[in-house]
PDB file of all heavy atoms in Angstrom:
ATOM      1  N   ALA A   1      75.431  95.934 -67.607  1.00  0.00           N
ATOM      2  CA  ALA A   1      76.601  96.298 -66.811  1.00  0.00           C
ATOM      3  C   ALA A   1      77.754  95.332 -67.046  1.00  0.00           C
ATOM      4  O   ALA A   1      77.549  94.145 -67.289  1.00  0.00           O
ATOM      5  CB  ALA A   1      76.242  96.323 -65.323  1.00  0.00           C
ATOM      6  N   ARG A   2      78.954  95.874 -66.950  1.00  0.00           N
ATOM      7  CA  ARG A   2      80.161  95.049 -67.045  1.00  0.00           C
ATOM      8  C   ARG A   2      80.438  94.356 -65.722  1.00  0.00           C
ATOM      9  O   ARG A   2      80.207  94.914 -64.653  1.00  0.00           O
ATOM     10  CB  ARG A   2      81.376  95.905 -67.428  1.00  0.00           C
ATOM     11  CG  ARG A   2      81.483  96.185 -68.921  1.00  0.00           C
ATOM     12  CD  ARG A   2      82.757  96.950 -69.247  1.00  0.00           C
ATOM     13  NE  ARG A   2      83.953  96.294 -68.742  1.00  0.00           N
ATOM     14  CZ  ARG A   2      84.543  95.236 -69.290  1.00  0.00           C
ATOM     15  NH1 ARG A   2      84.022  94.678 -70.392  1.00  0.00           N
ATOM     16  NH2 ARG A   2      85.627  94.719 -68.768  1.00  0.00           N
ATOM     17  N   TRP A   3      80.939  93.134 -65.816  1.00  0.00           N
ATOM     18  CA  TRP A   3      81.416  92.372 -64.668  1.00  0.00           C
ATOM     19  C   TRP A   3      82.874  92.020 -64.951  1.00  0.00           C
ATOM     20  O   TRP A   3      83.206  91.553 -66.048  1.00  0.00           O
ATOM     21  CB  TRP A   3      80.612  91.091 -64.479  1.00  0.00           C
ATOM     22  CG  TRP A   3      79.173  91.291 -64.096  1.00  0.00           C
ATOM     23  CD1 TRP A   3      78.254  92.099 -64.701  1.00  0.00           C
ATOM     24  CD2 TRP A   3      78.485  90.640 -63.031  1.00  0.00           C
ATOM     25  NE1 TRP A   3      77.040  92.005 -64.077  1.00  0.00           N
ATOM     26  CE2 TRP A   3      77.144  91.105 -63.049  1.00  0.00           C
ATOM     27  CE3 TRP A   3      78.861  89.702 -62.059  1.00  0.00           C
ATOM     28  CZ2 TRP A   3      76.186  90.673 -62.123  1.00  0.00           C
ATOM     29  CZ3 TRP A   3      77.906  89.260 -61.145  1.00  0.00           C
ATOM     30  CH2 TRP A   3      76.593  89.749 -61.179  1.00  0.00           C
ATOM     31  N   ARG A   4      83.720  92.251 -64.007  1.00  0.00           N
ATOM     32  CA  ARG A   4      85.134  91.950 -64.220  1.00  0.00           C
ATOM     33  C   ARG A   4      85.320  90.476 -64.585  1.00  0.00           C
ATOM     34  O   ARG A   4      84.815  89.579 -63.903  1.00  0.00           O
ATOM     35  CB  ARG A   4      85.936  92.265 -62.954  1.00  0.00           C
ATOM     36  CG  ARG A   4      87.453  92.141 -63.133  1.00  0.00           C
ATOM     37  CD  ARG A   4      88.183  92.658 -61.915  1.00  0.00           C
ATOM     38  NE  ARG A   4      89.625  92.732 -62.148  1.00  0.00           N
ATOM     39  CZ  ARG A   4      90.496  93.335 -61.338  1.00  0.00           C
ATOM     40  NH1 ARG A   4      90.052  93.929 -60.247  1.00  0.00           N
ATOM     41  NH2 ARG A   4      91.773  93.365 -61.623  1.00  0.00           N
ATOM     42  N   ALA A   5      86.019  90.246 -65.667  1.00  0.00           N
ATOM     43  CA  ALA A   5      86.354  88.903 -66.174  1.00  0.00           C
ATOM     44  C   ALA A   5      85.159  88.150 -66.741  1.00  0.00           C
ATOM     45  O   ALA A   5      85.303  87.018 -67.186  1.00  0.00           O
ATOM     46  CB  ALA A   5      87.027  88.048 -65.092  1.00  0.00           C
ATOM     47  N   LEU A   6      83.967  88.785 -66.758  1.00  0.00           N
ATOM     48  CA  LEU A   6      82.785  88.121 -67.310  1.00  0.00           C
ATOM     49  C   LEU A   6      82.167  88.898 -68.462  1.00  0.00           C
ATOM     50  O   LEU A   6      81.278  88.380 -69.141  1.00  0.00           O
ATOM     51  CB  LEU A   6      81.725  87.918 -66.210  1.00  0.00           C
ATOM     52  CG  LEU A   6      82.098  86.984 -65.054  1.00  0.00           C
ATOM     53  CD1 LEU A   6      80.972  86.954 -64.024  1.00  0.00           C
ATOM     54  CD2 LEU A   6      82.417  85.586 -65.548  1.00  0.00           C
ATOM     55  N   GLY A   7      82.603  90.126 -68.687  1.00  0.00           N
ATOM     56  CA  GLY A   7      82.056  90.930 -69.772  1.00  0.00           C
ATOM     57  C   GLY A   7      80.771  91.641 -69.373  1.00  0.00           C
ATOM     58  O   GLY A   7      80.426  91.750 -68.196  1.00  0.00           O
ATOM     59  N   THR A   8      80.056  92.121 -70.384  1.00  0.00           N
ATOM     60  CA  THR A   8      78.805  92.836 -70.140  1.00  0.00           C
ATOM     61  C   THR A   8      77.650  91.852 -70.033  1.00  0.00           C
ATOM     62  O   THR A   8      77.460  90.998 -70.896  1.00  0.00           O
ATOM     63  CB  THR A   8      78.529  93.843 -71.269  1.00  0.00           C
ATOM     64  OG1 THR A   8      79.585  94.816 -71.284  1.00  0.00           O
ATOM     65  CG2 THR A   8      77.202  94.558 -71.050  1.00  0.00           C
ATOM     66  N   ILE A   9      76.885  91.977 -68.960  1.00  0.00           N
ATOM     67  CA  ILE A   9      75.731  91.109 -68.720  1.00  0.00           C
ATOM     68  C   ILE A   9      74.469  91.960 -68.797  1.00  0.00           C
ATOM     69  O   ILE A   9      74.345  92.957 -68.076  1.00  0.00           O
ATOM     70  CB  ILE A   9      75.829  90.410 -67.351  1.00  0.00           C
ATOM     71  CG1 ILE A   9      77.068  89.498 -67.314  1.00  0.00           C
ATOM     72  CG2 ILE A   9      74.568  89.618 -67.058  1.00  0.00           C
ATOM     73  CD1 ILE A   9      77.277  88.809 -65.985  1.00  0.00           C
ATOM     74  N   PRO A  10      73.526  91.597 -69.676  1.00  0.00           N
ATOM     75  CA  PRO A  10      72.308  92.403 -69.826  1.00  0.00           C
ATOM     76  C   PRO A  10      71.512  92.515 -68.530  1.00  0.00           C
ATOM     77  O   PRO A  10      71.370  91.547 -67.787  1.00  0.00           O
ATOM     78  CB  PRO A  10      71.509  91.636 -70.892  1.00  0.00           C
ATOM     79  CG  PRO A  10      72.527  90.826 -71.630  1.00  0.00           C
ATOM     80  CD  PRO A  10      73.560  90.466 -70.612  1.00  0.00           C
ATOM     81  N   LYS A  11      71.032  93.721 -68.279  1.00  0.00           N
ATOM     82  CA  LYS A  11      70.108  94.000 -67.167  1.00  0.00           C
ATOM     83  C   LYS A  11      70.628  93.463 -65.835  1.00  0.00           C
ATOM     84  O   LYS A  11      69.875  92.908 -65.029  1.00  0.00           O
ATOM     85  CB  LYS A  11      68.733  93.414 -67.481  1.00  0.00           C
ATOM     86  CG  LYS A  11      68.082  94.015 -68.722  1.00  0.00           C
ATOM     87  CD  LYS A  11      66.722  93.402 -68.992  1.00  0.00           C
ATOM     88  CE  LYS A  11      66.104  94.019 -70.244  1.00  0.00           C
ATOM     89  NZ  LYS A  11      64.765  93.440 -70.555  1.00  0.00           N
ATOM     90  N   SER A  12      71.900  93.689 -65.588  1.00  0.00           N
ATOM     91  CA  SER A  12      72.510  93.150 -64.364  1.00  0.00           C
ATOM     92  C   SER A  12      73.073  94.225 -63.445  1.00  0.00           C
ATOM     93  O   SER A  12      73.590  93.900 -62.377  1.00  0.00           O
ATOM     94  CB  SER A  12      73.644  92.186 -64.732  1.00  0.00           C
ATOM     95  OG  SER A  12      74.712  92.884 -65.366  1.00  0.00           O
ATOM     96  N   GLY A  13      72.987  95.503 -63.852  1.00  0.00           N
ATOM     97  CA  GLY A  13      73.542  96.575 -63.043  1.00  0.00           C
ATOM     98  C   GLY A  13      72.477  97.535 -62.557  1.00  0.00           C
ATOM     99  O   GLY A  13      71.378  97.607 -63.114  1.00  0.00           O
ATOM    100  N   LEU A  14      72.802  98.275 -61.517  1.00  0.00           N
ATOM    101  CA  LEU A  14      71.877  99.251 -60.958  1.00  0.00           C
ATOM    102  C   LEU A  14      72.522 100.633 -60.943  1.00  0.00           C
ATOM    103  O   LEU A  14      73.577 100.820 -60.332  1.00  0.00           O
ATOM    104  CB  LEU A  14      71.470  98.854 -59.534  1.00  0.00           C
ATOM    105  CG  LEU A  14      70.617  97.594 -59.404  1.00  0.00           C
ATOM    106  CD1 LEU A  14      70.465  97.221 -57.932  1.00  0.00           C
ATOM    107  CD2 LEU A  14      69.243  97.799 -60.034  1.00  0.00           C
ATOM    108  N   GLU A  15      71.879 101.567 -61.627  1.00  0.00           N
ATOM    109  CA  GLU A  15      72.316 102.960 -61.612  1.00  0.00           C
ATOM    110  C   GLU A  15      71.234 103.816 -60.964  1.00  0.00           C
ATOM    111  O   GLU A  15      70.047 103.471 -61.002  1.00  0.00           O
ATOM    112  CB  GLU A  15      72.564 103.459 -63.043  1.00  0.00           C
ATOM    113  CG  GLU A  15      73.723 102.785 -63.739  1.00  0.00           C
ATOM    114  CD  GLU A  15      73.961 103.373 -65.123  1.00  0.00           C
ATOM    115  OE1 GLU A  15      73.235 104.326 -65.490  1.00  0.00           O
ATOM    116  OE2 GLU A  15      74.854 102.864 -65.823  1.00  0.00           O
ATOM    117  N   LEU A  16      71.655 104.934 -60.398  1.00  0.00           N
ATOM    118  CA  LEU A  16      70.673 105.833 -59.809  1.00  0.00           C
ATOM    119  C   LEU A  16      69.755 106.403 -60.889  1.00  0.00           C
ATOM    120  O   LEU A  16      70.209 106.728 -61.990  1.00  0.00           O
ATOM    121  CB  LEU A  16      71.374 106.968 -59.072  1.00  0.00           C
ATOM    122  CG  LEU A  16      72.017 106.588 -57.732  1.00  0.00           C
ATOM    123  CD1 LEU A  16      72.805 107.761 -57.175  1.00  0.00           C
ATOM    124  CD2 LEU A  16      70.972 106.134 -56.730  1.00  0.00           C
ATOM    125  N   ARG A  17      68.496 106.501 -60.580  1.00  0.00           N
ATOM    126  CA  ARG A  17      67.539 107.085 -61.517  1.00  0.00           C
ATOM    127  C   ARG A  17      67.846 108.559 -61.749  1.00  0.00           C
ATOM    128  O   ARG A  17      68.510 109.206 -60.938  1.00  0.00           O
ATOM    129  CB  ARG A  17      66.116 106.933 -60.970  1.00  0.00           C
ATOM    130  CG  ARG A  17      65.641 105.493 -60.880  1.00  0.00           C
ATOM    131  CD  ARG A  17      64.191 105.412 -60.432  1.00  0.00           C
ATOM    132  NE  ARG A  17      63.745 104.020 -60.357  1.00  0.00           N
ATOM    133  CZ  ARG A  17      63.307 103.318 -61.397  1.00  0.00           C
ATOM    134  NH1 ARG A  17      63.239 103.887 -62.603  1.00  0.00           N
ATOM    135  NH2 ARG A  17      62.915 102.070 -61.246  1.00  0.00           N
ATOM    136  N   LYS A  18      67.371 109.079 -62.883  1.00  0.00           N
ATOM    137  CA  LYS A  18      67.667 110.458 -63.255  1.00  0.00           C
ATOM    138  C   LYS A  18      67.288 111.448 -62.173  1.00  0.00           C
ATOM    139  O   LYS A  18      67.992 112.435 -61.927  1.00  0.00           O
ATOM    140  CB  LYS A  18      66.957 110.806 -64.563  1.00  0.00           C
ATOM    141  CG  LYS A  18      67.532 110.106 -65.783  1.00  0.00           C
ATOM    142  CD  LYS A  18      66.801 110.521 -67.058  1.00  0.00           C
ATOM    143  CE  LYS A  18      67.400 109.814 -68.269  1.00  0.00           C
ATOM    144  NZ  LYS A  18      66.688 110.182 -69.523  1.00  0.00           N
ATOM    145  N   GLU A  19      66.165 111.199 -61.505  1.00  0.00           N
ATOM    146  CA  GLU A  19      65.715 112.148 -60.485  1.00  0.00           C
ATOM    147  C   GLU A  19      66.597 112.162 -59.244  1.00  0.00           C
ATOM    148  O   GLU A  19      66.470 113.057 -58.396  1.00  0.00           O
ATOM    149  CB  GLU A  19      64.263 111.862 -60.087  1.00  0.00           C
ATOM    150  CG  GLU A  19      63.997 110.463 -59.573  1.00  0.00           C
ATOM    151  CD  GLU A  19      63.492 109.519 -60.649  1.00  0.00           C
ATOM    152  OE1 GLU A  19      63.999 109.598 -61.795  1.00  0.00           O
ATOM    153  OE2 GLU A  19      62.590 108.714 -60.345  1.00  0.00           O
ATOM    154  N   TRP A  20      67.501 111.182 -59.139  1.00  0.00           N
ATOM    155  CA  TRP A  20      68.400 111.135 -57.985  1.00  0.00           C
ATOM    156  C   TRP A  20      69.866 111.264 -58.393  1.00  0.00           C
ATOM    157  O   TRP A  20      70.764 110.953 -57.608  1.00  0.00           O
ATOM    158  CB  TRP A  20      68.205 109.821 -57.219  1.00  0.00           C
ATOM    159  CG  TRP A  20      66.800 109.572 -56.796  1.00  0.00           C
ATOM    160  CD1 TRP A  20      65.969 108.573 -57.215  1.00  0.00           C
ATOM    161  CD2 TRP A  20      66.033 110.346 -55.859  1.00  0.00           C
ATOM    162  NE1 TRP A  20      64.742 108.664 -56.609  1.00  0.00           N
ATOM    163  CE2 TRP A  20      64.750 109.747 -55.768  1.00  0.00           C
ATOM    164  CE3 TRP A  20      66.305 111.490 -55.094  1.00  0.00           C
ATOM    165  CZ2 TRP A  20      63.743 110.247 -54.946  1.00  0.00           C
ATOM    166  CZ3 TRP A  20      65.303 111.992 -54.271  1.00  0.00           C
ATOM    167  CH2 TRP A  20      64.044 111.377 -54.209  1.00  0.00           C
ATOM    168  N   ARG A  21      70.121 111.755 -59.582  1.00  0.00           N
ATOM    169  CA  ARG A  21      71.508 111.813 -60.069  1.00  0.00           C
ATOM    170  C   ARG A  21      72.391 112.761 -59.260  1.00  0.00           C
ATOM    171  O   ARG A  21      73.617 112.672 -59.317  1.00  0.00           O
ATOM    172  CB  ARG A  21      71.534 112.223 -61.544  1.00  0.00           C
ATOM    173  CG  ARG A  21      70.968 111.185 -62.491  1.00  0.00           C
ATOM    174  CD  ARG A  21      71.769 109.900 -62.499  1.00  0.00           C
ATOM    175  NE  ARG A  21      73.080 110.036 -63.111  1.00  0.00           N
ATOM    176  CZ  ARG A  21      73.978 109.074 -63.204  1.00  0.00           C
ATOM    177  NH1 ARG A  21      73.701 107.894 -62.703  1.00  0.00           N
ATOM    178  NH2 ARG A  21      75.137 109.284 -63.778  1.00  0.00           N
ATOM    179  N   GLU A  22      71.770 113.663 -58.488  1.00  0.00           N
ATOM    180  CA  GLU A  22      72.603 114.549 -57.658  1.00  0.00           C
ATOM    181  C   GLU A  22      73.293 113.777 -56.536  1.00  0.00           C
ATOM    182  O   GLU A  22      74.228 114.282 -55.898  1.00  0.00           O
ATOM    183  CB  GLU A  22      71.761 115.681 -57.059  1.00  0.00           C
ATOM    184  CG  GLU A  22      70.835 115.287 -55.918  1.00  0.00           C
ATOM    185  CD  GLU A  22      69.484 114.779 -56.396  1.00  0.00           C
ATOM    186  OE1 GLU A  22      69.312 114.570 -57.621  1.00  0.00           O
ATOM    187  OE2 GLU A  22      68.585 114.597 -55.540  1.00  0.00           O
ATOM    188  N   LEU A  23      72.864 112.525 -56.312  1.00  0.00           N
ATOM    189  CA  LEU A  23      73.487 111.689 -55.295  1.00  0.00           C
ATOM    190  C   LEU A  23      74.643 110.861 -55.851  1.00  0.00           C
ATOM    191  O   LEU A  23      75.329 110.179 -55.094  1.00  0.00           O
ATOM    192  CB  LEU A  23      72.443 110.738 -54.692  1.00  0.00           C
ATOM    193  CG  LEU A  23      71.261 111.402 -53.970  1.00  0.00           C
ATOM    194  CD1 LEU A  23      70.183 110.363 -53.661  1.00  0.00           C
ATOM    195  CD2 LEU A  23      71.734 112.091 -52.695  1.00  0.00           C
ATOM    196  N   GLU A  24      74.860 110.906 -57.155  1.00  0.00           N
ATOM    197  CA  GLU A  24      75.901 110.130 -57.838  1.00  0.00           C
ATOM    198  C   GLU A  24      77.080 111.034 -58.150  1.00  0.00           C
ATOM    199  O   GLU A  24      76.938 112.065 -58.812  1.00  0.00           O
ATOM    200  CB  GLU A  24      75.323 109.512 -59.108  1.00  0.00           C
ATOM    201  CG  GLU A  24      76.324 108.920 -60.072  1.00  0.00           C
ATOM    202  CD  GLU A  24      77.110 107.754 -59.492  1.00  0.00           C
ATOM    203  OE1 GLU A  24      76.514 106.694 -59.240  1.00  0.00           O
ATOM    204  OE2 GLU A  24      78.335 107.933 -59.318  1.00  0.00           O
ATOM    205  N   ILE A  25      78.276 110.656 -57.691  1.00  0.00           N
ATOM    206  CA  ILE A  25      79.458 111.511 -57.858  1.00  0.00           C
ATOM    207  C   ILE A  25      79.823 111.702 -59.323  1.00  0.00           C
ATOM    208  O   ILE A  25      80.370 112.735 -59.720  1.00  0.00           O
ATOM    209  CB  ILE A  25      80.665 110.934 -57.055  1.00  0.00           C
ATOM    210  CG1 ILE A  25      81.808 111.945 -57.014  1.00  0.00           C
ATOM    211  CG2 ILE A  25      81.112 109.599 -57.641  1.00  0.00           C
ATOM    212  CD1 ILE A  25      81.476 113.247 -56.342  1.00  0.00           C
ATOM    213  N   ARG A  26      79.462 110.746 -60.190  1.00  0.00           N
ATOM    214  CA  ARG A  26      79.793 110.882 -61.610  1.00  0.00           C
ATOM    215  C   ARG A  26      78.965 111.959 -62.297  1.00  0.00           C
ATOM    216  O   ARG A  26      79.260 112.325 -63.437  1.00  0.00           O
ATOM    217  CB  ARG A  26      79.614 109.538 -62.316  1.00  0.00           C
ATOM    218  CG  ARG A  26      80.773 108.578 -62.094  1.00  0.00           C
ATOM    219  CD  ARG A  26      80.458 107.181 -62.577  1.00  0.00           C
ATOM    220  NE  ARG A  26      79.491 106.510 -61.712  1.00  0.00           N
ATOM    221  CZ  ARG A  26      79.101 105.246 -61.875  1.00  0.00           C
ATOM    222  NH1 ARG A  26      79.581 104.538 -62.884  1.00  0.00           N
ATOM    223  NH2 ARG A  26      78.239 104.694 -61.039  1.00  0.00           N
ATOM    224  N   THR A  27      77.965 112.473 -61.640  1.00  0.00           N
ATOM    225  CA  THR A  27      77.235 113.624 -62.175  1.00  0.00           C
ATOM    226  C   THR A  27      78.122 114.869 -62.182  1.00  0.00           C
ATOM    227  O   THR A  27      77.970 115.746 -63.039  1.00  0.00           O
ATOM    228  CB  THR A  27      75.973 113.886 -61.323  1.00  0.00           C
ATOM    229  OG1 THR A  27      75.155 112.720 -61.348  1.00  0.00           O
ATOM    230  CG2 THR A  27      75.175 115.073 -61.849  1.00  0.00           C
ATOM    231  N   TYR A  28      79.079 114.912 -61.285  1.00  0.00           N
ATOM    232  CA  TYR A  28      79.942 116.087 -61.121  1.00  0.00           C
ATOM    233  C   TYR A  28      81.332 115.877 -61.715  1.00  0.00           C
ATOM    234  O   TYR A  28      81.966 116.830 -62.180  1.00  0.00           O
ATOM    235  CB  TYR A  28      80.060 116.423 -59.626  1.00  0.00           C
ATOM    236  CG  TYR A  28      78.720 116.514 -58.945  1.00  0.00           C
ATOM    237  CD1 TYR A  28      78.169 115.405 -58.293  1.00  0.00           C
ATOM    238  CD2 TYR A  28      77.979 117.691 -58.978  1.00  0.00           C
ATOM    239  CE1 TYR A  28      76.925 115.477 -57.680  1.00  0.00           C
ATOM    240  CE2 TYR A  28      76.731 117.770 -58.356  1.00  0.00           C
ATOM    241  CZ  TYR A  28      76.209 116.665 -57.717  1.00  0.00           C
ATOM    242  OH  TYR A  28      74.974 116.734 -57.117  1.00  0.00           O
ATOM    243  N   TYR A  29      81.814 114.654 -61.673  1.00  0.00           N
ATOM    244  CA  TYR A  29      83.136 114.324 -62.224  1.00  0.00           C
ATOM    245  C   TYR A  29      82.996 113.045 -63.049  1.00  0.00           C
ATOM    246  O   TYR A  29      82.481 112.046 -62.557  1.00  0.00           O
ATOM    247  CB  TYR A  29      84.156 114.089 -61.113  1.00  0.00           C
ATOM    248  CG  TYR A  29      84.357 115.253 -60.179  1.00  0.00           C
ATOM    249  CD1 TYR A  29      83.695 115.295 -58.946  1.00  0.00           C
ATOM    250  CD2 TYR A  29      85.213 116.298 -60.510  1.00  0.00           C
ATOM    251  CE1 TYR A  29      83.881 116.353 -58.077  1.00  0.00           C
ATOM    252  CE2 TYR A  29      85.411 117.372 -59.648  1.00  0.00           C
ATOM    253  CZ  TYR A  29      84.740 117.393 -58.435  1.00  0.00           C
ATOM    254  OH  TYR A  29      84.919 118.451 -57.571  1.00  0.00           O
ATOM    255  N   ASP A  30      83.456 113.074 -64.271  1.00  0.00           N
ATOM    256  CA  ASP A  30      83.348 111.889 -65.134  1.00  0.00           C
ATOM    257  C   ASP A  30      84.573 111.787 -66.038  1.00  0.00           C
ATOM    258  O   ASP A  30      84.477 111.881 -67.264  1.00  0.00           O
ATOM    259  CB  ASP A  30      82.066 111.957 -65.964  1.00  0.00           C
ATOM    260  CG  ASP A  30      81.727 110.611 -66.607  1.00  0.00           C
ATOM    261  OD1 ASP A  30      82.253 109.585 -66.133  1.00  0.00           O
ATOM    262  OD2 ASP A  30      80.955 110.602 -67.582  1.00  0.00           O
ATOM    263  N   PRO A  31      85.747 111.586 -65.453  1.00  0.00           N
ATOM    264  CA  PRO A  31      86.973 111.528 -66.250  1.00  0.00           C
ATOM    265  C   PRO A  31      87.017 110.295 -67.138  1.00  0.00           C
ATOM    266  O   PRO A  31      86.452 109.249 -66.798  1.00  0.00           O
ATOM    267  CB  PRO A  31      88.084 111.468 -65.192  1.00  0.00           C
ATOM    268  CG  PRO A  31      87.419 110.859 -64.004  1.00  0.00           C
ATOM    269  CD  PRO A  31      86.010 111.359 -64.022  1.00  0.00           C
ATOM    270  N   GLU A  32      87.679 110.413 -68.271  1.00  0.00           N
ATOM    271  CA  GLU A  32      87.874 109.250 -69.138  1.00  0.00           C
ATOM    272  C   GLU A  32      89.001 108.390 -68.576  1.00  0.00           C
ATOM    273  O   GLU A  32      89.975 108.898 -68.021  1.00  0.00           O
ATOM    274  CB  GLU A  32      88.222 109.703 -70.561  1.00  0.00           C
ATOM    275  CG  GLU A  32      87.077 110.392 -71.283  1.00  0.00           C
ATOM    276  CD  GLU A  32      87.406 110.688 -72.746  1.00  0.00           C
ATOM    277  OE1 GLU A  32      88.482 110.231 -73.197  1.00  0.00           O
ATOM    278  OE2 GLU A  32      86.601 111.369 -73.395  1.00  0.00           O
ATOM    279  N   VAL A  33      88.852 107.078 -68.741  1.00  0.00           N
ATOM    280  CA  VAL A  33      89.899 106.158 -68.295  1.00  0.00           C
ATOM    281  C   VAL A  33      90.266 105.257 -69.462  1.00  0.00           C
ATOM    282  O   VAL A  33      89.428 104.962 -70.322  1.00  0.00           O
ATOM    283  CB  VAL A  33      89.445 105.316 -67.086  1.00  0.00           C
ATOM    284  CG1 VAL A  33      89.118 106.203 -65.895  1.00  0.00           C
ATOM    285  CG2 VAL A  33      88.251 104.449 -67.431  1.00  0.00           C
ATOM    286  N   PRO A  34      91.504 104.818 -69.518  1.00  0.00           N
ATOM    287  CA  PRO A  34      91.925 103.964 -70.637  1.00  0.00           C
ATOM    288  C   PRO A  34      91.317 102.574 -70.527  1.00  0.00           C
ATOM    289  O   PRO A  34      90.899 102.139 -69.455  1.00  0.00           O
ATOM    290  CB  PRO A  34      93.458 103.903 -70.461  1.00  0.00           C
ATOM    291  CG  PRO A  34      93.676 104.136 -69.001  1.00  0.00           C
ATOM    292  CD  PRO A  34      92.613 105.100 -68.582  1.00  0.00           C
ATOM    293  N   GLU A  35      91.259 101.875 -71.645  1.00  0.00           N
ATOM    294  CA  GLU A  35      90.819 100.483 -71.634  1.00  0.00           C
ATOM    295  C   GLU A  35      91.913  99.645 -70.987  1.00  0.00           C
ATOM    296  O   GLU A  35      93.085  99.719 -71.360  1.00  0.00           O
ATOM    297  CB  GLU A  35      90.548 100.005 -73.054  1.00  0.00           C
ATOM    298  CG  GLU A  35      89.926  98.626 -73.124  1.00  0.00           C
ATOM    299  CD  GLU A  35      89.514  98.239 -74.532  1.00  0.00           C
ATOM    300  OE1 GLU A  35      89.237  99.140 -75.346  1.00  0.00           O
ATOM    301  OE2 GLU A  35      89.473  97.030 -74.805  1.00  0.00           O
ATOM    302  N   LEU A  36      91.532  98.848 -70.011  1.00  0.00           N
ATOM    303  CA  LEU A  36      92.500  98.111 -69.216  1.00  0.00           C
ATOM    304  C   LEU A  36      92.149  96.621 -69.189  1.00  0.00           C
ATOM    305  O   LEU A  36      90.977  96.249 -69.269  1.00  0.00           O
ATOM    306  CB  LEU A  36      92.515  98.646 -67.777  1.00  0.00           C
ATOM    307  CG  LEU A  36      92.910 100.120 -67.617  1.00  0.00           C
ATOM    308  CD1 LEU A  36      92.533 100.611 -66.225  1.00  0.00           C
ATOM    309  CD2 LEU A  36      94.402 100.292 -67.858  1.00  0.00           C
ATOM    310  N   PRO A  37      93.148  95.755 -69.069  1.00  0.00           N
ATOM    311  CA  PRO A  37      92.862  94.319 -68.966  1.00  0.00           C
ATOM    312  C   PRO A  37      92.184  94.003 -67.639  1.00  0.00           C
ATOM    313  O   PRO A  37      92.513  94.586 -66.604  1.00  0.00           O
ATOM    314  CB  PRO A  37      94.252  93.671 -69.052  1.00  0.00           C
ATOM    315  CG  PRO A  37      95.193  94.742 -68.568  1.00  0.00           C
ATOM    316  CD  PRO A  37      94.602  96.043 -69.024  1.00  0.00           C
ATOM    317  N   ASP A  38      91.235  93.073 -67.678  1.00  0.00           N
ATOM    318  CA  ASP A  38      90.541  92.682 -66.456  1.00  0.00           C
ATOM    319  C   ASP A  38      91.456  91.967 -65.472  1.00  0.00           C
ATOM    320  O   ASP A  38      91.335  92.138 -64.259  1.00  0.00           O
ATOM    321  CB  ASP A  38      89.364  91.757 -66.793  1.00  0.00           C
ATOM    322  CG  ASP A  38      88.132  92.517 -67.255  1.00  0.00           C
ATOM    323  OD1 ASP A  38      88.075  93.739 -67.025  1.00  0.00           O
ATOM    324  OD2 ASP A  38      87.232  91.896 -67.841  1.00  0.00           O
ATOM    325  N   LEU A  39      92.352  91.128 -66.002  1.00  0.00           N
ATOM    326  CA  LEU A  39      93.171  90.267 -65.156  1.00  0.00           C
ATOM    327  C   LEU A  39      94.611  90.263 -65.629  1.00  0.00           C
ATOM    328  O   LEU A  39      94.897  90.503 -66.804  1.00  0.00           O
ATOM    329  CB  LEU A  39      92.636  88.829 -65.174  1.00  0.00           C
ATOM    330  CG  LEU A  39      91.191  88.608 -64.707  1.00  0.00           C
ATOM    331  CD1 LEU A  39      90.763  87.177 -65.004  1.00  0.00           C
ATOM    332  CD2 LEU A  39      91.041  88.907 -63.226  1.00  0.00           C
ATOM    333  N   GLU A  40      95.509  89.978 -64.694  1.00  0.00           N
ATOM    334  CA  GLU A  40      96.905  89.800 -65.042  1.00  0.00           C
ATOM    335  C   GLU A  40      97.080  88.498 -65.828  1.00  0.00           C
ATOM    336  O   GLU A  40      96.277  87.568 -65.709  1.00  0.00           O
ATOM    337  CB  GLU A  40      97.771  89.755 -63.776  1.00  0.00           C
ATOM    338  CG  GLU A  40      97.835  91.057 -63.011  1.00  0.00           C
ATOM    339  CD  GLU A  40      98.586  92.140 -63.765  1.00  0.00           C
ATOM    340  OE1 GLU A  40      99.502  91.801 -64.534  1.00  0.00           O
ATOM    341  OE2 GLU A  40      98.239  93.327 -63.585  1.00  0.00           O
TER     342      GLU A  40
END
């Protein structure tokens, strides 16, 4: 998972398991977003 201003850290994030993906809003909407700077 990504951490703001720290980059991607291995095995540090928690996502809903596949069997519970109906509880995750990104299952229904997953718009693309531009690459943005972490900090001003």
Side-chain angles (χ1 to χ4, degrees):
R2 278 184 54 77
W3 294 50
R4 187 172 188 169
L6 296 177
T8 298
I9 297 178
K11 298 180 180 180
S12 66
L14 292 172
E15 294 183 2
L16 286 174
R17 294 184 180 277
K18 290 181 180 179
E19 57 265 39
W20 305 115
R21 292 296 290 178
E22 74 274 9
L23 298 169
E24 168 63 68
I25 190 61
R26 281 169 288 184
T27 301
Y28 309 94
Y29 301 98
D30 194 19
E32 292 186 7
V33 299
E35 187 173 334
L36 299 165
D38 279 344
L39 301 171
E40 293 292 330

